[in-house]
Amino acid sequence: MRQIIHVVILLFIIPCSVYSQSVPDIEKLLETNDIESSEDYYEDMINSLIHLSVQPINLNSAGFDSLKMLFFLSDAQIDNLLDFRKKHGAFTHPNELLLITGISQQDLSNIKPFIHIGTYTPEKQSRYHLSQEILARLKMTRPKQAGYKKYSRKAFLYEKDYITKKQSRFQGPPVGTLLKYKISNQQRWQGGLTLENDPGENYFTKNQKTGFDFLSVHVCYTPEKIIHRIIIGDYKLQWGQGLLAWSGYSSGKSTSTLSNEKSGNGIAPYTSTDENRYLRGIAASLHPTRTVTTEIFVSYKKTDGNLADLDTLTPEAVQTASLYQTGYHRNSSECKKKHILKEFTTGLSTRLNHRYFRIGIQLLHYNFSPPLTIGKASYQQYNETGNQRTLVSIDYKTGGYHFYLFGETARSGNGTWATINGLRYSGIPRLALCALYRHYDKGYHSHYNSGFAEYSNTTNEEGLYLGLESTPFRNLKINVYYDRFRFFSPRYQATIPGKGQEIVGDVTFNRSRWDCSFRFKHEDKPEDDKTGESLQSVSRVKQEYRLQFTCSICEQLKSRTRTSYTRYLKKEKHEGGYLFYQDIMYSSLQASLKAQFRFAYFDTDSYNTRIYAYENNVLYGYSFPALYDRGFRSYLNLNWKPFSLITLYLKAGLTYYPDKSTISSSLTQVNDNKLFDLSFQIRIKL
């Protein structure tokens, strides 16, 4: 530990130039994209936006894929922007974006920190200019969870019971830690180091030989010649429409109904703390000609898993394992699962970027050793083994006369197929439409994919998605989509294959000082019903209603009020729940101090009617809790910049359940009806 501290101190004193950067309203971004369950996606967006705040996009030269990185604009808005630029020529001022159909003052305010017009020179920089960032975080909850409890031998009758309890005890302190370091020469290269421990994980043990439970390192060099980029260490991959490989932020079904076309960045450095969705090795991006891009990579890493029992009844016993993807290594049982699997992956991609179309071909091969176990449940019968798996895909994009086509078709080595194809039309003033068809065979699998789907594994599904985006008036925006899908074989909690549908509508009206939005969601899926004598499939319906009002009281003070109601219907079971919260947000005139305070009350019948509510947090921090049962939730989030180099963050929250005596269960159980959480972070930008 002492060696790491010495390294960090040396990094602090390296002389470098200083520049500032701002982060946008992250809550608005998350609500627009409905990201409710992935910390990895959240970190990927924040990293991309921080990068763009330093190196903004040139509106007069950026294409669709570059503008897609803004996240705030829908695909139809980007189409209209490109058409406007083609018809009227280069932009001379950012306010000209307000002349484009579908782009409001709020949209312009969202993207302003990340765009520029003409030559952008934030400051005079030499080829040796370095920018650095050091970030350290501590997080904890109180009271202590059951996993931290100490046991006495006298409390147990049998020795084996005492040993079992002792082995289940968390080995580390009840404090999570994160240390990040980034260094870059903006013209040529960058590097990064991430060290992270979850609460309960120990330091410098035989299972954490590098000191921390998770260590990620990368170095990226950009010669900008035939070899466009080289990455050594950890990196992520984004190809096509995600049927073969996609890591990081992934557009999908959301109230931004016309944001479902993926625009991958190929290979990119990995800076997240997710311990699963990354590759480790070497990757290169080549530009042999102006219109051709080729990417090649080789990856080898060890992955967590559970070794399965050997089947001694077979002529040849083969060891298999199942994936363990929680990332927790707090006690002996969890530590035994660390790095059980060996994961080898390699691939090649070549894309032709023509003026009127883009087409690419991707090849991916990976192997898990030992192979993955299939599983005994009916919904696991088509699971993959990960043994010497090879896949190939072709993706395309083209468009003209306000029509835009995109898609990808992939084939696995076992003969199964997956395809997704989309059509978008924006030729009607103040109206844009899209249609998206997907078909994924039940035996199709890619361990690294993240395609547009009802579920995250991009398999065993067929569906048709129809979306509409309209701005009948400049201050009024309407988004509606309808998605109908079916499954070819059993899924989790749905033993009998079935079909479902989803309808979402969102209406937003904004003025200069306030805005109001209403959202409705109806979801109907097949699920098992085990209440009768025989197993049967029934329809499970969940409906959500949300009304939100935001008002700028003055330049420094803003108020947000939200009411949400949810219903759960399954055969005779009818449940409901609601959430009300009030936010007060403050920002000083110089933006050196920012604060958000929330008071929330929620009351739901069960976990089935849980309501998600995003919470402001420390930078890169992720908080999107599911609130259920009856209780109160309050938090205070502070962001203070006492000096130009240093930013301090503090998040303190309290959840109170008046009708409970315990919270959670098993090793995470708390014998109290109150739960306090605290995060403290310091960020130094050099």
Side-chain angles (χ1 to χ4, degrees):
M1 187 67 180
R2 184 176 300 174
Q3 290 86 345
I4 293 179
I5 295 175
H6 289 166
V7 171
V8 172
I9 293 175
L10 288 175
L11 296 175
F12 271 113
I13 62 176
I14 297 175
C16 302
S17 300
V18 176
Y19 65 92
S20 62
Q21 61 189 34
S22 59
V23 180
D25 186 344
I26 302 302
E27 181 169 37
K28 183 66 175 179
L29 175 63
L30 286 177
E31 291 173 351
T32 300
N33 292 278
D34 279 351
I35 299 179
E36 299 183 351
S37 59
S38 175
E39 183 174 0
D40 181 34
Y41 292 174
Y42 177 82
E43 287 192 53
D44 188 58
M45 286 193 299
I46 299 303
N47 283 315
S48 297
L49 292 173
I50 288 180
H51 173 75
L52 290 179
S53 68
V54 179
Q55 296 182 325
I57 293 174
N58 188 338
L59 278 183
N60 289 327
S61 60
F64 182 91
D65 292 347
S66 296
L67 293 171
K68 184 80 171 178
M69 295 172 61
L70 292 172
F71 300 114
F72 298 100
L73 299 180
S74 70
D75 296 349
Q77 288 174 313
I78 296 175
D79 294 338
N80 292 336
L81 188 155
L82 295 175
D83 286 343
F84 185 91
R85 189 178 72 186
K86 183 178 180 181
K87 184 182 297 184
H88 300 284
F91 295 100
T92 59
H93 194 279
N95 287 344
E96 293 178 8
L97 291 175
L98 296 175
L99 301 174
I100 300 174
T101 301
I103 295 184
S104 66
Q105 181 64 53
Q106 182 63 48
D107 296 322
L108 177 60
S109 299
N110 286 338
I111 67 175
K112 257 189 175 181
F114 316 109
I115 61 174
H116 75 95
I117 293 172
T119 304
Y120 180 75
T121 53
E123 61 178 85
K124 186 176 181 181
Q125 297 178 1
S126 70
R127 60 181 298 183
Y128 303 106
H129 169 82
L130 296 179
S131 62
Q132 299 182 75
E133 176 185 327
I134 301 171
L135 183 143
R137 180 195 304 165
L138 298 175
K139 63 178 181 179
M140 58 183 291
T141 60
R142 286 292 185 273
K144 286 186 179 181
Q145 298 171 337
Y148 297 102
K149 184 179 179 180
K150 294 183 179 180
Y151 298 95
S152 171
R153 173 64 183 87
K154 298 179 181 179
F156 297 88
L157 181 62
Y158 299 105
E159 178 74 18
K160 63 177 183 179
D161 294 334
Y162 168 69
I163 294 175
T164 300
K165 278 292 185 181
K166 188 177 179 181
Q167 289 180 342
S168 67
R169 186 179 186 274
F170 296 162
Q171 299 173 349
V175 179
T177 54
L178 171 67
L179 179 64
K180 281 191 174 190
Y181 172 68
K182 298 179 185 178
I183 183 170
S184 68
N185 174 310
Q186 296 177 25
Q187 297 178 349
R188 285 286 182 257
W189 62 272
Q190 72 175 78
L193 168 69
T194 300
L195 299 166
E196 190 240 10
N197 259 34
D198 295 307
E201 295 178 339
N202 215 338
Y203 301 83
F204 292 98
T205 67
K206 64 178 181 180
N207 297 301
Q208 285 88 21
K209 296 179 181 179
T210 57
F212 286 73
D213 179 65
F214 178 67
L215 182 148
S216 178
V217 182
H218 75 268
V219 176
C220 177
Y221 179 57
T222 308
E224 294 183 352
K225 296 181 180 179
I226 294 179
I227 301 178
H228 176 68
R229 176 179 292 175
I230 297 177
I231 303 175
I232 299 176
D234 295 346
Y235 54 92
K236 63 182 180 180
L237 197 62
Q238 295 182 340
W239 281 351
Q241 295 301 311
L243 299 190
L244 249 64
W246 192 279
S247 177
Y249 173 76
S250 176
S251 57
K253 291 192 287 185
S254 71
T255 53
S256 183
T257 54
L258 269 68
S259 292
N260 39 49
E261 176 185 342
K262 295 183 185 296
S263 293
N265 298 318
I267 58 171
Y270 184 78
T271 58
S272 176
T273 56
D274 186 285
E275 300 182 25
N276 300 291
R277 302 285 292 185
Y278 69 96
L279 298 164
R280 175 168 291 175
I282 184 169
S285 177
L286 312 175
H287 284 185
T289 68
R290 186 175 60 86
T291 58
V292 176
T293 301
T294 299
E295 294 163 347
I296 187 170
F297 74 92
V298 177
S299 168
Y300 174 80
K301 67 173 185 175
K302 293 184 178 180
T303 304
D304 294 351
N306 292 292
L307 290 177
D309 296 332
L310 288 173
D311 186 359
T312 57
L313 298 178
T314 58
E316 182 178 349
V318 178
Q319 180 69 68
T320 60
S322 60
L323 292 172
Y324 173 73
Q325 296 183 304
T326 67
Y328 290 130
H329 306 100
R330 300 166 296 185
N331 54 31
S332 299
S333 175
E334 293 174 346
C335 288
K336 288 179 181 179
K337 303 172 184 178
K338 187 172 183 178
H339 294 171
I340 293 298
L341 291 158
K342 297 177 181 178
E343 179 184 341
F344 173 79
T345 314
T346 185
L348 173 70
S349 170
T350 298
R351 297 189 299 272
L352 173 62
N353 301 285
H354 192 269
R355 180 181 178 183
Y356 298 110
F357 66 88
R358 191 184 85 176
I359 188 169
I361 182 169
Q362 289 77 227
L363 179 67
L364 180 70
H365 174 83
Y366 61 90
N367 181 59
F368 282 88
S369 178
L372 303 179
T373 184
I374 295 296
K376 298 180 181 180
S378 60
Y379 69 89
Q380 297 174 325
Q381 60 181 309
Y382 293 103
N383 283 4
E384 68 162 330
T385 63
N387 184 27
Q388 302 295 345
R389 195 165 188 83
T390 302
L391 304 98
V392 63
S393 77
I394 296 176
D395 74 286
Y396 68 92
K397 291 185 179 183
T398 186
Y401 301 102
H402 304 290
F403 285 96
Y404 304 90
L405 290 166
F406 60 93
E408 182 179 12
T409 299
R411 186 181 189 277
S412 175
N414 62 2
T416 55
W417 292 83
T419 186
I420 181 169
N421 297 276
L423 170 64
R424 192 169 64 251
Y425 178 68
S426 57
I428 304 174
R430 300 190 176 277
L431 178 68
L433 306 168
C434 76
L436 193 70
Y437 171 76
R438 61 193 186 273
H439 182 109
Y440 311 137
D441 285 350
K442 57 189 176 184
Y444 176 83
H445 289 280
S446 174
H447 177 68
Y448 307 97
N449 66 10
S450 182
F452 184 95
E454 179 62 24
Y455 293 97
S456 59
N457 51 5
T458 318
T459 185
N460 182 30
E461 182 178 327
E462 181 182 33
L464 177 64
Y465 173 98
L466 303 173
L468 177 150
E469 180 180 295
S470 175
T471 52
F473 309 103
R474 178 164 291 277
N475 296 326
L476 181 65
K477 190 171 185 178
I478 300 173
N479 287 278
V480 180
Y481 76 73
Y482 173 76
D483 186 39
R484 188 167 183 84
F485 45 85
R486 69 184 182 101
F487 310 116
F488 306 115
S489 66
R491 280 194 171 273
Y492 177 66
Q493 294 186 332
T495 305
I496 302 174
K499 57 186 178 181
Q501 60 182 350
E502 188 174 307
I503 304 172
V504 172
D506 185 87
V507 180
T508 301
F509 182 79
N510 63 76
R511 301 289 291 179
S512 58
R513 299 291 298 273
W514 60 271
D515 66 74
C516 182
S517 65
F518 174 76
R519 183 189 181 196
F520 166 73
K521 181 178 181 180
H522 175 94
E523 184 182 70
D524 185 348
K525 291 182 180 179
E527 277 191 7
D528 292 339
D529 176 40
K530 301 178 182 179
T531 58
E533 296 181 356
S534 61
L535 180 67
Q536 59 178 322
S537 180
V538 298
S539 175
R540 189 273 287 158
V541 176
K542 188 173 183 180
Q543 297 175 337
E544 298 177 18
Y545 306 83
R546 188 178 76 190
L547 179 64
Q548 177 172 296
F549 181 78
T550 304
C551 176
S552 295
I553 301 172
C554 60
E555 189 175 351
Q556 294 84 35
L557 204 60
K558 181 183 288 187
S559 168
R560 178 188 293 115
T561 305
R562 176 186 290 186
T563 300
S564 297
Y565 175 73
T566 181
R567 296 178 65 207
Y568 177 89
L569 310 172
K570 183 178 179 181
K571 209 172 180 181
E572 289 84 11
K573 181 182 290 187
H574 291 186
E575 297 178 346
Y578 63 89
L579 162 73
F580 170 83
Y581 73 62
Q582 176 63 53
D583 284 350
I584 299 295
M585 295 154 285
Y586 170 80
S587 178
S588 63
L589 288 174
Q590 293 78 23
S592 60
L593 176 64
K594 297 179 182 179
Q596 301 91 25
F597 173 77
R598 170 176 297 175
F599 179 81
Y601 175 75
F602 54 92
D603 189 356
T604 74
D605 291 333
S606 72
Y607 183 75
N608 293 326
T609 50
R610 63 194 179 276
I611 301 175
Y612 290 94
Y614 170 79
E615 296 182 354
N616 296 92
N617 208 325
V618 300
L619 183 64
Y620 301 116
Y622 176 82
S623 183
F624 214 133
L627 303 175
Y628 59 97
D629 292 336
R630 188 174 80 91
F632 300 86
R633 171 68 180 168
S634 182
Y635 75 85
L636 175 66
N637 188 60
L638 298 175
N639 178 336
W640 180 40
K641 195 168 188 177
F643 310 102
S644 59
L645 295 176
I646 299 176
T647 308
L648 301 176
Y649 304 85
L650 178 68
K651 163 76 178 293
L654 177 67
T655 308
Y656 170 57
Y657 297 92
D659 304 325
K660 289 186 176 184
S661 58
T662 61
I663 301 174
S664 191
S665 60
S666 189
L667 294 176
T668 59
Q669 180 174 305
V670 172
N671 294 321
D672 203 333
N673 64 351
K674 296 178 289 293
L675 191 64
F676 176 74
D677 57 274
L678 177 70
S679 296
F680 174 75
Q681 181 170 288
I682 180 172
R683 179 177 183 243
I684 301 175
K685 195 75 173 110
L686 302 170

